[in-house]
Amino acid sequence: MSTPFLERDPCPDRILDDLGGAFAMGAVGGSIFHFSKGTYNSPNGARLAGGMQALRMNAPRIGGAFAVWGGLFSVFNCTAVFVRQKEDPWNSVIAGAATHGSLYLCRGLGAAARSAVFGGSLLALIEGVGIVLNHVVDESARAQPPVDDPNLAAAAIAAGGGGFQASNDFQ
C-alpha cells in the first residue's frame, strides 16, 4: 500500500526544508527545556539570568543536533524514494535505519549496526501506528452514512425515526 505525498516538495527542496524545520524544532524545544532547567537550578535572585544563560549555551547545540538528524533523514529518505521509485512508509524505515547507523559510525561498526536496527525499528513503529490510525479514521468515516442523502432520510421516516412528528406530550 503506497501513500502518495503529492503535497511534499521535490527532494532537493525537501531536504533544505526538513533541515530548517528540524533546526527550528530543536532550537525552540531546547530553548524551553534549557531555560526551565537553568531557572530551576539557579539560586534565588538569579533565576532569570541563570535560565537565559542556560538557554544561550545549550539551545543552539540542540537545534544543530536536530538539524543534523533531520537533514540526514531527509537525504536518506529522498535516496530511498529515488532508488525504489515509489513513496511509501518503507522509505522512512530505511531512512531511519540509515540515519541512526551513520550517526553512530564513529563509535564502530557494531554500535552503528545496533543503532541502525534501533532506528529502523523506531521508524517502523511510528509508521505502523500512522497506518493503523489512518485505517481507523478511514473506517469510521466510511461507516457513517451521508447526512444529506434523501433516500436515507425517507427510509428513516418510514421506519418511524427521524424527522419531526406531531406529539401531544406537552398538553
Side-chain angles (χ1 to χ4, degrees):
M1 177 173 122
S2 65
T3 55
F5 295 139
L6 300 176
E7 68 273 358
R8 302 252 354 227
D9 294 334
C11 273
D13 296 335
R14 185 187 307 182
I15 294 169
L16 292 175
D17 190 37
D18 289 348
L19 186 109
F23 177 80
M25 188 181 343
V28 170
S31 296
I32 293 168
F33 176 78
H34 285 290
F35 180 78
S36 301
K37 185 177 175 185
T39 302
Y40 180 77
N41 290 330
S42 296
N44 286 338
R47 293 201 186 274
L48 185 61
M52 289 302 295
Q53 181 182 7
L55 184 147
R56 282 192 307 269
M57 288 175 55
N58 296 311
R61 180 175 46 86
I62 301 297
F66 270 67
V68 167
W69 194 94
L72 277 176
F73 180 82
S74 188
V75 165
F76 287 127
N77 194 10
C78 286
T79 303
V81 168
F82 178 76
V83 169
R84 298 182 68 232
Q85 292 296 312
K86 61 180 173 179
E87 288 205 33
D88 61 0
W90 284 108
N91 294 336
S92 295
V93 173
I94 293 166
T99 300
H100 277 261
S102 65
L103 288 174
Y104 275 80
L105 271 176
C106 62
R107 297 183 183 176
L109 289 178
R114 284 189 299 274
S115 182
V117 168
F118 175 75
S121 301
L122 181 66
L123 266 293
L125 180 69
I126 291 170
E127 290 293 330
V129 168
I131 290 169
V132 168
L133 286 177
N134 283 337
H135 183 69
V136 168
V137 168
D138 288 344
E139 287 294 322
S140 66
R142 197 176 312 137
Q144 296 175 353
V147 176
D148 56 347
D149 187 5
N151 295 330
L152 184 64
I157 291 172
F164 293 104
Q165 296 177 351
S167 173
N168 293 334
D169 292 344
F170 298 109
Q171 290 181 354

PDB file of all heavy atoms in Angstrom, residues 55-82:
ATOM      1  N   LEU A  55      19.915  28.851  28.387  1.00  0.00           N
ATOM      2  CA  LEU A  55      19.298  28.888  27.060  1.00  0.00           C
ATOM      3  C   LEU A  55      20.333  29.241  25.999  1.00  0.00           C
ATOM      4  O   LEU A  55      20.448  28.567  24.980  1.00  0.00           O
ATOM      5  CB  LEU A  55      18.167  29.920  27.068  1.00  0.00           C
ATOM      6  CG  LEU A  55      17.337  30.058  25.805  1.00  0.00           C
ATOM      7  CD1 LEU A  55      15.910  30.410  26.194  1.00  0.00           C
ATOM      8  CD2 LEU A  55      17.887  31.123  24.898  1.00  0.00           C
ATOM      9  N   ARG A  56      21.118  30.316  26.229  1.00  0.00           N
ATOM     10  CA  ARG A  56      22.114  30.749  25.242  1.00  0.00           C
ATOM     11  C   ARG A  56      23.199  29.702  25.028  1.00  0.00           C
ATOM     12  O   ARG A  56      23.725  29.561  23.930  1.00  0.00           O
ATOM     13  CB  ARG A  56      22.747  32.067  25.682  1.00  0.00           C
ATOM     14  CG  ARG A  56      21.877  33.270  25.431  1.00  0.00           C
ATOM     15  CD  ARG A  56      22.653  34.564  25.613  1.00  0.00           C
ATOM     16  NE  ARG A  56      23.324  34.650  26.901  1.00  0.00           N
ATOM     17  CZ  ARG A  56      22.797  35.185  27.993  1.00  0.00           C
ATOM     18  NH1 ARG A  56      21.590  35.686  27.946  1.00  0.00           N
ATOM     19  NH2 ARG A  56      23.479  35.228  29.108  1.00  0.00           N
ATOM     20  N   MET A  57      23.553  28.971  26.067  1.00  0.00           N
ATOM     21  CA  MET A  57      24.624  27.988  25.947  1.00  0.00           C
ATOM     22  C   MET A  57      24.174  26.711  25.240  1.00  0.00           C
ATOM     23  O   MET A  57      24.967  26.092  24.525  1.00  0.00           O
ATOM     24  CB  MET A  57      25.169  27.624  27.337  1.00  0.00           C
ATOM     25  CG  MET A  57      25.979  28.724  27.973  1.00  0.00           C
ATOM     26  SD  MET A  57      26.495  28.337  29.650  1.00  0.00           S
ATOM     27  CE  MET A  57      27.321  26.795  29.444  1.00  0.00           C
ATOM     28  N   ASN A  58      22.934  26.279  25.449  1.00  0.00           N
ATOM     29  CA  ASN A  58      22.526  24.949  25.023  1.00  0.00           C
ATOM     30  C   ASN A  58      21.550  24.890  23.860  1.00  0.00           C
ATOM     31  O   ASN A  58      21.536  23.893  23.130  1.00  0.00           O
ATOM     32  CB  ASN A  58      21.916  24.197  26.212  1.00  0.00           C
ATOM     33  CG  ASN A  58      22.934  23.973  27.296  1.00  0.00           C
ATOM     34  OD1 ASN A  58      24.038  23.508  27.043  1.00  0.00           O
ATOM     35  ND2 ASN A  58      22.577  24.320  28.527  1.00  0.00           N
ATOM     36  N   ALA A  59      20.709  25.889  23.678  1.00  0.00           N
ATOM     37  CA  ALA A  59      19.688  25.825  22.626  1.00  0.00           C
ATOM     38  C   ALA A  59      20.285  25.710  21.220  1.00  0.00           C
ATOM     39  O   ALA A  59      19.806  24.901  20.424  1.00  0.00           O
ATOM     40  CB  ALA A  59      18.739  27.013  22.724  1.00  0.00           C
ATOM     41  N   PRO A  60      21.337  26.454  20.867  1.00  0.00           N
ATOM     42  CA  PRO A  60      21.902  26.271  19.518  1.00  0.00           C
ATOM     43  C   PRO A  60      22.492  24.874  19.303  1.00  0.00           C
ATOM     44  O   PRO A  60      22.403  24.324  18.201  1.00  0.00           O
ATOM     45  CB  PRO A  60      23.008  27.332  19.441  1.00  0.00           C
ATOM     46  CG  PRO A  60      22.642  28.345  20.457  1.00  0.00           C
ATOM     47  CD  PRO A  60      21.942  27.601  21.543  1.00  0.00           C
ATOM     48  N   ARG A  61      23.051  24.301  20.338  1.00  0.00           N
ATOM     49  CA  ARG A  61      23.604  22.951  20.229  1.00  0.00           C
ATOM     50  C   ARG A  61      22.499  21.935  19.970  1.00  0.00           C
ATOM     51  O   ARG A  61      22.636  21.049  19.109  1.00  0.00           O
ATOM     52  CB  ARG A  61      24.360  22.594  21.515  1.00  0.00           C
ATOM     53  CG  ARG A  61      24.966  21.226  21.523  1.00  0.00           C
ATOM     54  CD  ARG A  61      25.793  20.991  22.786  1.00  0.00           C
ATOM     55  NE  ARG A  61      25.137  21.399  24.008  1.00  0.00           N
ATOM     56  CZ  ARG A  61      24.297  20.623  24.704  1.00  0.00           C
ATOM     57  NH1 ARG A  61      24.015  19.420  24.262  1.00  0.00           N
ATOM     58  NH2 ARG A  61      23.751  21.048  25.818  1.00  0.00           N
ATOM     59  N   ILE A  62      21.393  22.052  20.679  1.00  0.00           N
ATOM     60  CA  ILE A  62      20.266  21.134  20.486  1.00  0.00           C
ATOM     61  C   ILE A  62      19.658  21.339  19.100  1.00  0.00           C
ATOM     62  O   ILE A  62      19.339  20.384  18.393  1.00  0.00           O
ATOM     63  CB  ILE A  62      19.195  21.339  21.582  1.00  0.00           C
ATOM     64  CG1 ILE A  62      19.794  21.118  22.962  1.00  0.00           C
ATOM     65  CG2 ILE A  62      17.990  20.447  21.351  1.00  0.00           C
ATOM     66  CD1 ILE A  62      20.297  19.713  23.191  1.00  0.00           C
ATOM     67  N   GLY A  63      19.513  22.602  18.682  1.00  0.00           N
ATOM     68  CA  GLY A  63      18.996  22.885  17.344  1.00  0.00           C
ATOM     69  C   GLY A  63      19.892  22.312  16.260  1.00  0.00           C
ATOM     70  O   GLY A  63      19.414  21.744  15.279  1.00  0.00           O
ATOM     71  N   GLY A  64      21.204  22.410  16.437  1.00  0.00           N
ATOM     72  CA  GLY A  64      22.135  21.847  15.471  1.00  0.00           C
ATOM     73  C   GLY A  64      22.060  20.332  15.411  1.00  0.00           C
ATOM     74  O   GLY A  64      22.129  19.738  14.327  1.00  0.00           O
ATOM     75  N   ALA A  65      21.907  19.690  16.566  1.00  0.00           N
ATOM     76  CA  ALA A  65      21.790  18.230  16.596  1.00  0.00           C
ATOM     77  C   ALA A  65      20.515  17.780  15.890  1.00  0.00           C
ATOM     78  O   ALA A  65      20.528  16.801  15.124  1.00  0.00           O
ATOM     79  CB  ALA A  65      21.810  17.727  18.040  1.00  0.00           C
ATOM     80  N   PHE A  66      19.422  18.477  16.126  1.00  0.00           N
ATOM     81  CA  PHE A  66      18.175  18.164  15.429  1.00  0.00           C
ATOM     82  C   PHE A  66      18.329  18.384  13.928  1.00  0.00           C
ATOM     83  O   PHE A  66      17.813  17.609  13.126  1.00  0.00           O
ATOM     84  CB  PHE A  66      17.030  19.023  15.967  1.00  0.00           C
ATOM     85  CG  PHE A  66      16.281  18.416  17.115  1.00  0.00           C
ATOM     86  CD1 PHE A  66      16.886  18.243  18.347  1.00  0.00           C
ATOM     87  CD2 PHE A  66      14.971  18.037  16.975  1.00  0.00           C
ATOM     88  CE1 PHE A  66      16.211  17.688  19.406  1.00  0.00           C
ATOM     89  CE2 PHE A  66      14.264  17.486  18.027  1.00  0.00           C
ATOM     90  CZ  PHE A  66      14.890  17.302  19.240  1.00  0.00           C
ATOM     91  N   ALA A  67      19.032  19.454  13.531  1.00  0.00           N
ATOM     92  CA  ALA A  67      19.219  19.746  12.113  1.00  0.00           C
ATOM     93  C   ALA A  67      20.041  18.655  11.434  1.00  0.00           C
ATOM     94  O   ALA A  67      19.734  18.257  10.305  1.00  0.00           O
ATOM     95  CB  ALA A  67      19.896  21.105  11.938  1.00  0.00           C
ATOM     96  N   VAL A  68      21.074  18.169  12.104  1.00  0.00           N
ATOM     97  CA  VAL A  68      21.877  17.090  11.527  1.00  0.00           C
ATOM     98  C   VAL A  68      21.024  15.851  11.329  1.00  0.00           C
ATOM     99  O   VAL A  68      21.042  15.216  10.272  1.00  0.00           O
ATOM    100  CB  VAL A  68      23.108  16.791  12.415  1.00  0.00           C
ATOM    101  CG1 VAL A  68      23.774  15.488  12.027  1.00  0.00           C
ATOM    102  CG2 VAL A  68      24.096  17.936  12.343  1.00  0.00           C
ATOM    103  N   TRP A  69      20.250  15.488  12.362  1.00  0.00           N
ATOM    104  CA  TRP A  69      19.407  14.297  12.253  1.00  0.00           C
ATOM    105  C   TRP A  69      18.358  14.481  11.152  1.00  0.00           C
ATOM    106  O   TRP A  69      18.166  13.607  10.307  1.00  0.00           O
ATOM    107  CB  TRP A  69      18.712  13.994  13.585  1.00  0.00           C
ATOM    108  CG  TRP A  69      18.124  12.630  13.603  1.00  0.00           C
ATOM    109  CD1 TRP A  69      18.701  11.494  14.075  1.00  0.00           C
ATOM    110  CD2 TRP A  69      16.827  12.239  13.108  1.00  0.00           C
ATOM    111  NE1 TRP A  69      17.853  10.427  13.896  1.00  0.00           N
ATOM    112  CE2 TRP A  69      16.704  10.851  13.310  1.00  0.00           C
ATOM    113  CE3 TRP A  69      15.776  12.918  12.512  1.00  0.00           C
ATOM    114  CZ2 TRP A  69      15.576  10.142  12.940  1.00  0.00           C
ATOM    115  CZ3 TRP A  69      14.650  12.211  12.137  1.00  0.00           C
ATOM    116  CH2 TRP A  69      14.553  10.838  12.360  1.00  0.00           C
ATOM    117  N   GLY A  70      17.685  15.631  11.149  1.00  0.00           N
ATOM    118  CA  GLY A  70      16.645  15.876  10.147  1.00  0.00           C
ATOM    119  C   GLY A  70      17.195  15.939   8.732  1.00  0.00           C
ATOM    120  O   GLY A  70      16.578  15.442   7.790  1.00  0.00           O
ATOM    121  N   GLY A  71      18.363  16.555   8.561  1.00  0.00           N
ATOM    122  CA  GLY A  71      18.960  16.626   7.238  1.00  0.00           C
ATOM    123  C   GLY A  71      19.390  15.260   6.722  1.00  0.00           C
ATOM    124  O   GLY A  71      19.127  14.912   5.571  1.00  0.00           O
ATOM    125  N   LEU A  72      20.039  14.458   7.579  1.00  0.00           N
ATOM    126  CA  LEU A  72      20.437  13.114   7.168  1.00  0.00           C
ATOM    127  C   LEU A  72      19.220  12.251   6.858  1.00  0.00           C
ATOM    128  O   LEU A  72      19.211  11.509   5.868  1.00  0.00           O
ATOM    129  CB  LEU A  72      21.280  12.443   8.257  1.00  0.00           C
ATOM    130  CG  LEU A  72      22.758  12.788   8.278  1.00  0.00           C
ATOM    131  CD1 LEU A  72      23.433  12.131   9.464  1.00  0.00           C
ATOM    132  CD2 LEU A  72      23.428  12.367   6.996  1.00  0.00           C
ATOM    133  N   PHE A  73      18.200  12.342   7.702  1.00  0.00           N
ATOM    134  CA  PHE A  73      16.988  11.559   7.473  1.00  0.00           C
ATOM    135  C   PHE A  73      16.363  11.925   6.136  1.00  0.00           C
ATOM    136  O   PHE A  73      15.953  11.058   5.364  1.00  0.00           O
ATOM    137  CB  PHE A  73      15.989  11.778   8.608  1.00  0.00           C
ATOM    138  CG  PHE A  73      14.716  11.013   8.434  1.00  0.00           C
ATOM    139  CD1 PHE A  73      14.642   9.688   8.801  1.00  0.00           C
ATOM    140  CD2 PHE A  73      13.590  11.616   7.887  1.00  0.00           C
ATOM    141  CE1 PHE A  73      13.470   8.966   8.622  1.00  0.00           C
ATOM    142  CE2 PHE A  73      12.421  10.916   7.705  1.00  0.00           C
ATOM    143  CZ  PHE A  73      12.365   9.586   8.086  1.00  0.00           C
ATOM    144  N   SER A  74      16.305  13.211   5.833  1.00  0.00           N
ATOM    145  CA  SER A  74      15.696  13.655   4.589  1.00  0.00           C
ATOM    146  C   SER A  74      16.522  13.211   3.378  1.00  0.00           C
ATOM    147  O   SER A  74      15.963  12.804   2.350  1.00  0.00           O
ATOM    148  CB  SER A  74      15.542  15.171   4.608  1.00  0.00           C
ATOM    149  OG  SER A  74      14.804  15.609   3.516  1.00  0.00           O
ATOM    150  N   VAL A  75      17.854  13.275   3.501  1.00  0.00           N
ATOM    151  CA  VAL A  75      18.712  12.814   2.401  1.00  0.00           C
ATOM    152  C   VAL A  75      18.506  11.322   2.158  1.00  0.00           C
ATOM    153  O   VAL A  75      18.342  10.875   1.013  1.00  0.00           O
ATOM    154  CB  VAL A  75      20.196  13.124   2.706  1.00  0.00           C
ATOM    155  CG1 VAL A  75      21.124  12.349   1.783  1.00  0.00           C
ATOM    156  CG2 VAL A  75      20.458  14.614   2.585  1.00  0.00           C
ATOM    157  N   PHE A  76      18.495  10.531   3.230  1.00  0.00           N
ATOM    158  CA  PHE A  76      18.303   9.088   3.062  1.00  0.00           C
ATOM    159  C   PHE A  76      16.886   8.762   2.585  1.00  0.00           C
ATOM    160  O   PHE A  76      16.694   7.820   1.816  1.00  0.00           O
ATOM    161  CB  PHE A  76      18.618   8.342   4.362  1.00  0.00           C
ATOM    162  CG  PHE A  76      20.086   8.272   4.665  1.00  0.00           C
ATOM    163  CD1 PHE A  76      20.572   8.686   5.890  1.00  0.00           C
ATOM    164  CD2 PHE A  76      20.983   7.791   3.724  1.00  0.00           C
ATOM    165  CE1 PHE A  76      21.922   8.615   6.172  1.00  0.00           C
ATOM    166  CE2 PHE A  76      22.342   7.721   4.000  1.00  0.00           C
ATOM    167  CZ  PHE A  76      22.814   8.136   5.234  1.00  0.00           C
ATOM    168  N   ASN A  77      15.909   9.540   3.010  1.00  0.00           N
ATOM    169  CA  ASN A  77      14.533   9.326   2.553  1.00  0.00           C
ATOM    170  C   ASN A  77      14.429   9.605   1.054  1.00  0.00           C
ATOM    171  O   ASN A  77      13.824   8.832   0.305  1.00  0.00           O
ATOM    172  CB  ASN A  77      13.574  10.205   3.345  1.00  0.00           C
ATOM    173  CG  ASN A  77      12.133   9.793   3.177  1.00  0.00           C
ATOM    174  OD1 ASN A  77      11.830   8.745   2.616  1.00  0.00           O
ATOM    175  ND2 ASN A  77      11.237  10.611   3.673  1.00  0.00           N
ATOM    176  N   CYS A  78      15.017  10.710   0.605  1.00  0.00           N
ATOM    177  CA  CYS A  78      14.989  11.028  -0.826  1.00  0.00           C
ATOM    178  C   CYS A  78      15.768   9.990  -1.635  1.00  0.00           C
ATOM    179  O   CYS A  78      15.373   9.640  -2.744  1.00  0.00           O
ATOM    180  CB  CYS A  78      15.564  12.421  -1.061  1.00  0.00           C
ATOM    181  SG  CYS A  78      14.444  13.733  -0.559  1.00  0.00           S
ATOM    182  N   THR A  79      16.857   9.490  -1.071  1.00  0.00           N
ATOM    183  CA  THR A  79      17.623   8.449  -1.755  1.00  0.00           C
ATOM    184  C   THR A  79      16.795   7.180  -1.893  1.00  0.00           C
ATOM    185  O   THR A  79      16.789   6.539  -2.953  1.00  0.00           O
ATOM    186  CB  THR A  79      18.925   8.163  -0.988  1.00  0.00           C
ATOM    187  OG1 THR A  79      19.667   9.385  -0.877  1.00  0.00           O
ATOM    188  CG2 THR A  79      19.760   7.114  -1.687  1.00  0.00           C
ATOM    189  N   ALA A  80      16.081   6.812  -0.836  1.00  0.00           N
ATOM    190  CA  ALA A  80      15.229   5.616  -0.892  1.00  0.00           C
ATOM    191  C   ALA A  80      14.103   5.798  -1.904  1.00  0.00           C
ATOM    192  O   ALA A  80      13.762   4.864  -2.636  1.00  0.00           O
ATOM    193  CB  ALA A  80      14.662   5.295   0.487  1.00  0.00           C
ATOM    194  N   VAL A  81      13.537   6.992  -1.972  1.00  0.00           N
ATOM    195  CA  VAL A  81      12.488   7.260  -2.962  1.00  0.00           C
ATOM    196  C   VAL A  81      13.058   7.133  -4.370  1.00  0.00           C
ATOM    197  O   VAL A  81      12.433   6.546  -5.262  1.00  0.00           O
ATOM    198  CB  VAL A  81      11.869   8.661  -2.745  1.00  0.00           C
ATOM    199  CG1 VAL A  81      11.004   9.068  -3.915  1.00  0.00           C
ATOM    200  CG2 VAL A  81      11.072   8.700  -1.469  1.00  0.00           C
ATOM    201  N   PHE A  82      14.263   7.653  -4.588  1.00  0.00           N
ATOM    202  CA  PHE A  82      14.871   7.581  -5.917  1.00  0.00           C
ATOM    203  C   PHE A  82      15.209   6.147  -6.305  1.00  0.00           C
ATOM    204  O   PHE A  82      14.947   5.722  -7.433  1.00  0.00           O
ATOM    205  CB  PHE A  82      16.139   8.446  -5.959  1.00  0.00           C
ATOM    206  CG  PHE A  82      16.846   8.401  -7.272  1.00  0.00           C
ATOM    207  CD1 PHE A  82      16.357   9.104  -8.349  1.00  0.00           C
ATOM    208  CD2 PHE A  82      17.997   7.646  -7.429  1.00  0.00           C
ATOM    209  CE1 PHE A  82      16.995   9.066  -9.580  1.00  0.00           C
ATOM    210  CE2 PHE A  82      18.645   7.593  -8.645  1.00  0.00           C
ATOM    211  CZ  PHE A  82      18.145   8.311  -9.718  1.00  0.00           C
TER     212      PHE A  82
END
